[in-house]
Amino acid sequence: MKTEGGRFSRGFKAALLETMVKTPAVEPPLHGGTRTPGAATSGGKFDTSFETLPAYQAFRTQRAVADALHLNFPFYRVHDAMAGARSVIAGQPVINFASYDYLGLNGHPDITAAVIEATKTWGTSVSASRITAGERDFHRQLERALADIYEADDALVFVSGHATAISTVAALLGPKDLILHDSLIHNCVVVGAQLSGATRRPFPHNDLAGLEAMLAATRDKFERVMIITEGLFSMDGDGPDLARLVDIKDRFDCWLMVDEAHSVGVLGATGRGIAEQAGVDPRRVDIWLGTLSKTLVSCGGYVAGSRPLIDFLKLAAPGMVYSVGMSAPAALAALTAIEIMRREPARIARLQANGQLFLHLAREAGLEVGTSAGYAVTPVIIGDSLRTVLLAERLLKRGINAFPIVPPGVPEKSARLRFFISSEHTEAEIRAAVAATAEEVAGVEREGISLGTIAKLMIKRAT
């Protein structure tokens, strides 16, 4: 991309405007039975075209800008290799920093063998919900292994991690209750809270003083109160002060739910998560929530806790009662991954060392990494969404795959490249990725590319 004095060249501006002019705008709905050109309608006075959705129109505008900048669509890229520390995209080998395979277990021969045997024995489906079709021994084996991680009475596995949180929160709380969650909590918790009918209030990220003040002002107005946070936040790579958090929940008579999706296999000397990392008795946390799709290289989610909690969810959680049970291949993959995690703590140590190395090098290079603790997740915060997507494209051309995260996935003006670190990344790969990222960030800053400059060009087009 040619620039003049570090800014857009005249030729580039002309090309951008020409591309945007040629991009057909989506017309507003036409009423009175008139059909919007190119749109499907019901034949009535209201346009039923999906193209009239405001978000779709915004998407069209974004694509016009991307086309003008010669940016490929960064979402749903086709990979030609197994997910892990390395991949192949469009025939090009890349160092992959967009995989949850934190301990490098995806494709492990022991897991592959367990899945093959499970398929031969049990098939690929249990064919109905567990409440109607019954359970299999592999369900209970996996749930016992998960419960043991937290020294819990029992655990329960669901076929979807996202649905696990939704079903659990919605089943446990109602209109007379209160949910206080970290402002950066995952979408699954927010959706579950909305479905529950409970009052929902976020507290500032990891601000336990703020949480305590909210409880002091509101606790007596509600029957049950649930505090929800994450062991390791997937966008920022940090976590809460768990010891203080359990003290707060005890003093105010609350339930505490901790989402361990990104912290099992990552935090603690043996990968048991934030409780092990913080030296807190895991039994002091009421509800442990997690997924099987990251460190445990399968698919689904789980809840661990007291026996009454699990017994209740078996009969009341919609994602359990009305959904098919977990298949044998998925269950045995996760169970075998837990066994490997337990017998090979060196993988966890290697992951933690790699995470600390990446964080140290990024800070040394002057990159903005926010509050990351340097374990499995470290963001490079850019701020501007367009620059972030452009950076991801340029890094991909250099053989480095780091996914761009833009609003609404993160708050406005906090767009970032998110780097997932694996135990299988080499020191050379980590050093190369940080150096390339620093070079490209500096280059984009010199060019002055941003959403603000694009907006000015759009205003010029309109006038």
Side-chain angles (χ1 to χ4, degrees):
M1 183 180 303
K2 295 183 179 180
T3 61
E4 297 173 350
R7 300 295 175 182
F8 286 128
S9 68
R10 293 178 181 176
F12 172 76
K13 290 180 180 179
L16 175 62
L17 287 171
E18 181 180 2
T19 301
M20 295 179 70
V21 167
K22 289 180 178 179
T23 301
V26 178
E27 298 181 13
L30 300 177
H31 301 295
T34 304
R35 183 176 181 272
T36 302
T41 69
S42 62
K45 66 178 181 179
F46 295 106
D47 193 325
T48 59
S49 167
F50 294 116
E51 288 89 340
T52 60
L53 292 169
Y56 183 85
Q57 297 182 42
F59 166 75
R60 290 284 297 273
T61 300
Q62 293 164 4
R63 285 307 304 266
V65 172
D67 289 345
L69 292 170
H70 304 292
L71 291 176
N72 292 318
F73 192 59
F75 312 112
Y76 297 99
R77 291 189 189 278
V78 176
H79 288 241
D80 303 320
M82 185 183 301
R86 287 152 216 98
S87 189
V88 177
I89 300 175
Q92 177 189 9
V94 297
I95 308 169
N96 190 22
F97 292 96
S99 168
Y100 297 141
D101 186 19
Y102 296 133
L103 296 183
L105 297 179
N106 192 31
H108 190 287
D110 289 2
I111 297 175
T112 301
V115 169
I116 292 172
E117 185 60 32
T119 305
K120 289 180 179 178
T121 304
W122 301 102
T124 56
S125 173
V126 297
S127 299
S129 64
R130 286 165 63 181
I131 197 170
T132 58
E135 300 188 338
R136 306 296 189 274
D137 186 56
F138 54 79
H139 291 134
R140 301 308 299 140
Q141 289 180 25
L142 174 57
E143 288 165 347
R144 183 67 261 156
L146 290 164
D148 287 347
I149 290 175
Y150 301 104
E151 300 177 29
D153 291 345
D154 206 350
L156 188 63
V157 294
F158 297 70
V159 291
S160 162
H162 194 272
T164 302
I166 293 175
S167 291
T168 301
V169 174
L172 287 170
L173 298 162
K176 295 181 180 180
D177 303 325
L178 171 66
I179 297 170
L180 297 174
H181 64 77
D182 190 288
S183 60
L184 299 186
I185 204 72
H186 194 272
N187 168 269
C188 59
V189 168
V190 174
V191 175
Q194 291 169 337
L195 289 176
S196 74
T199 299
R200 177 180 68 89
R201 295 175 184 167
F203 59 88
H205 181 51
N206 284 335
D207 182 358
L208 300 191
L211 168 64
E212 195 166 358
M214 293 172 72
L215 283 166
T218 62
R219 176 61 186 94
D220 292 342
K221 299 176 183 178
F222 299 91
E223 288 189 358
R224 296 178 179 84
V225 176
M226 181 185 287
I227 301 167
I228 311 178
T229 188
E230 298 183 19
L232 187 70
F233 283 85
S234 63
M235 296 296 177
D236 293 81
D238 59 1
D241 180 344
L242 185 64
R244 183 178 175 190
L245 195 51
V246 294
D247 285 340
I248 291 173
K249 76 99 180 176
D250 284 343
R251 281 192 288 111
F252 287 94
D253 298 320
C254 302
W255 285 333
L256 174 61
M257 172 187 281
V258 179
D259 181 354
E260 287 264 272
H262 292 269
S263 42
V264 163
V266 174
L267 300 182
T270 63
R272 290 174 180 262
I274 188 173
E276 182 181 34
Q277 179 89 356
V280 171
D281 184 343
R283 292 169 294 186
R284 294 188 67 189
V285 174
D286 303 280
I287 308 166
W288 290 102
L289 179 77
T291 59
L292 306 177
S293 58
K294 299 172 178 62
T295 293
L296 304 183
V297 295
S298 183
C299 193
Y302 65 86
V303 173
S306 68
R307 194 166 307 283
L309 168 69
I310 301 305
D311 287 346
F312 171 77
L313 292 176
K314 279 188 173 182
L315 298 174
M320 174 57 57
V321 176
Y322 300 105
S323 177
V324 68
M326 181 170 291
S327 69
L332 271 297
L335 179 61
T336 308
I338 293 174
E339 293 169 353
I340 297 170
M341 181 182 78
R342 287 175 171 173
R343 73 173 185 246
E344 298 183 21
R347 288 179 181 268
I348 300 158
R350 193 162 65 243
L351 166 65
Q352 293 174 354
N354 282 349
Q356 293 298 310
L357 175 63
F358 186 97
L359 181 67
H360 169 74
L361 293 174
R363 285 176 172 163
E364 194 175 61
L367 298 172
E368 176 55 60
V369 294
T371 55
S372 174
Y375 289 100
V377 183
T378 293
V380 173
I381 301 171
I382 307 301
D384 184 85
S385 297
L386 180 58
R387 287 187 181 187
T388 302
V389 174
L390 183 59
L391 282 166
E393 180 78 9
R394 292 184 178 182
L395 285 173
L396 187 61
K397 290 179 180 178
R398 296 180 64 163
I400 298 165
N401 184 42
F403 195 73
I405 308 293
V406 299
V410 291
E412 291 292 336
K413 299 181 181 179
S414 67
R416 65 201 57 193
L417 295 176
R418 182 173 59 174
F419 287 82
F420 288 131
I421 311 301
S422 168
S423 62
E424 306 312 293
H425 285 127
T426 66
E427 179 179 338
E429 288 172 335
I430 291 171
R431 289 184 179 278
V434 172
T437 302
E439 290 173 10
E440 296 298 345
V441 167
V444 170
E445 288 177 350
R446 285 194 304 270
E447 293 167 13
I449 300 171
S450 71
L451 278 177
T453 55
I454 295 296
K456 291 178 181 178
L457 290 172
M458 293 177 67
I459 292 173
K460 181 177 179 181
R461 171 199 173 187
T463 57

